[in-house]
């Protein structure tokens, strides 16, 4: 890649910069008010009414974060890619939904598309591997405070959606540019046993680095890293990168999310 050349920011970037500084100022105002309250704030947080398992001041801050992240996220802005030499094995983190012994031959990816025809169908791993193969070397970032650069191989979720024409009201391939109103708003993903589940907003699902992966660091995925197929979404925190996928469900209802139910931020953008 050629060295970056300083150029004048585009109108889009200037507008983004304005939105970010406005949202940041607002977050600092909220943060500043909270620090004035000092230690008492913990008591306040403890007694506040809970909204989605987080007390409301925290929930408001998470919502402000979501606004900030959405403002930064144009739908095309990529997460950084790295040289393969930096890739290594991530720790195994989280085994929800991986409890049952995997029967690879019987595995199917179930697609639920209640707004359009056909309402549901199943894909095999061969169907996924027939989609264009994409390599991506990105950082897996866990909210618990570690990150690892990993070389992933798989198919774009957007390519699956285009080929099998899901995620739209019309039953046509998604076209964010020309018919954004035709897109359903969310994708819900779950393990076969439904023990682990995540929700994604449609722009993030259609992002070009959002992959359905069957290989990690040049080897087929192991069971503990999500075989036979997992999601990898580097524009979100690691908990959205669901291992051992069983179902994709497209709808306008914001899907449930395992960690959001525990009080983490639903959007989880970075
Ligand atoms: N099915 C399932 N997927 C999951 C989890 C889980 O517990 N179960 N944990 C998540 C979390 S918190 C992280 S950080 C990443 C870690 O992926 P890895 O175990 O391949 O490093 O997987 C995510 N996907
Ligand atoms: Mo995580």
């Amino acid at each position: 890649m050629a060295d970056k050349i300083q150029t004048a920011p585009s109108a889009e970037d200037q507008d983004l910069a304005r939105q970010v500084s406005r949202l940041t100022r607002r977050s600092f105002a909220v943060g500043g008010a909270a620090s004035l309250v000092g230690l008492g704030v913990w008591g306040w947080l403890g007694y506040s009414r809970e909204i989605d398992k987080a007390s409301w001041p925290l929930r408001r801050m998470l919502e402000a974060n979501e606004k900030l992240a959405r403002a930064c996220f144009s739908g095309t802005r990529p997460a950084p890619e790295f040289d393969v030499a930096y890739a290594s094995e991530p720790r195994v983190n989280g085994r929800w939904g991986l409890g049952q012994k995997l029967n690879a031959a019987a595995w199917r990816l179930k697609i639920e598309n209640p707004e359009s025809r056909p309402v549901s169908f199943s894909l095999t791993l061969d169907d996924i591997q027939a989609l264009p193969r994409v390599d991506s070397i990105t950082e897996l970032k866990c909210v618990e405070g570690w990150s690892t650069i990993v070389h992933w191989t798989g198919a774009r979720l957007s390519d699956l959606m285009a080929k099998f024409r899901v995620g739209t009201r019309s039953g046509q391939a998604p076209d964010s540019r020309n018919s954004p109103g035709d897109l359903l708003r969310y994708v819900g993903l779950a393990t076969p046993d439904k023990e682990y589940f995540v929700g994604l907003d449609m722009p993030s699902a259609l992002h070009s680095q959002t992959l359905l992966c069957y290989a990690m660091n040049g080897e087929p995925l192991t069971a503990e890293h999500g075989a036979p197929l997992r999601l990898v979404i580097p524009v979100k925190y690691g908990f959205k990168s669901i291992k051992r996928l069983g179902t994709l469900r497209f709808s306008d209802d914001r899907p449930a999310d395992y960690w959001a139910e525990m009080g983490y931020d639903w959007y989880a953008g970075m």
Side-chain angles (χ1 to χ4, degrees):
M1 250 224 270
D3 283 342
K4 278 219 176 112
I5 300 166
Q6 272 310 121
T7 49
S10 66
E12 189 200 338
D13 279 353
Q14 284 177 352
D15 180 53
L16 176 63
R18 267 193 301 276
Q19 283 186 61
V20 168
S21 75
R22 181 164 43 80
L23 288 165
T24 309
R25 252 181 280 126
R26 193 186 300 158
S27 305
F28 278 131
V30 171
S35 36
L36 281 180
V37 181
L39 282 177
V41 81
W42 287 112
W44 179 49
L45 290 176
Y47 288 115
S48 317
R49 189 167 50 92
E50 286 200 343
I51 301 176
D52 287 354
K53 281 282 162 56
S55 58
W56 73 259
L58 282 178
R59 181 56 61 195
R60 289 291 166 266
M61 277 164 81
L62 293 176
E63 284 167 5
N65 274 345
E66 171 167 343
K67 284 210 191 94
L68 190 61
R70 278 187 194 269
C72 292
F73 182 82
S74 69
T76 51
R77 225 167 269 270
E81 293 269 347
F82 298 83
D83 190 280
V84 71
Y86 295 106
S88 66
E89 178 125 359
R91 82 167 71 154
V92 175
N93 208 56
R95 295 171 189 267
W96 301 109
L98 308 184
Q100 285 160 22
K101 199 168 159 23
L102 176 71
N103 178 350
W107 179 89
R108 296 287 182 278
L109 181 62
K110 255 188 90 188
I111 312 285
E112 296 176 358
N113 194 42
E115 310 295 330
S116 173
R117 309 288 119 194
V119 163
S120 76
F121 57 98
S122 292
L123 298 175
T124 63
L125 194 57
D126 284 346
D127 294 329
I128 310 293
Q129 291 180 335
L131 293 165
R133 186 184 171 92
V134 176
D135 285 285
S136 180
I137 302 155
T138 53
E139 204 170 2
L140 179 65
K141 295 185 187 174
C142 177
V143 280
E144 289 165 342
W146 55 270
S147 74
T148 307
I149 294 170
V150 186
H151 171 191
W152 301 106
T153 306
R156 290 195 173 98
L157 177 53
S158 62
D159 284 342
L160 180 151
M161 291 171 63
K163 178 162 178 189
F164 298 99
R165 302 196 198 169
V166 285
T168 56
R169 293 160 220 288
S170 66
Q172 295 304 308
D175 182 349
S176 334
R177 189 173 291 271
N178 298 312
S179 13
D182 189 31
L183 298 175
L184 294 167
R185 295 177 63 200
Y186 298 106
V187 189
L189 307 90
T191 54
D193 64 5
K194 306 272 196 280
E195 193 175 75
Y196 195 77
F197 41 92
V198 305
L200 298 177
D201 55 286
M202 189 58 79
S204 302
L206 289 169
H207 189 281
S208 65
Q209 286 168 308
T210 300
L211 304 181
L212 301 168
C213 289
Y214 38 79
M216 187 183 94
N217 295 333
E219 305 283 342
L221 265 189
T222 57
E224 53 195 1
H225 287 295
L229 192 72
R230 74 174 294 168
L231 186 80
V232 171
I233 178 160
V235 296
K236 301 285 186 191
Y237 277 113
F239 68 79
K240 294 286 191 184
S241 287
I242 180 175
K243 302 188 276 191
R244 197 190 285 189
L245 267 175
T247 322
L248 299 183
R249 181 184 172 85
F250 298 91
S251 88
D252 278 330
D253 304 322
R254 186 181 251 218
D257 189 281
Y258 187 90
W259 286 107
E261 287 188 0
M262 303 289 178
Y264 280 84
D265 168 28
W266 188 92
Y267 189 72
M270 292 188 287

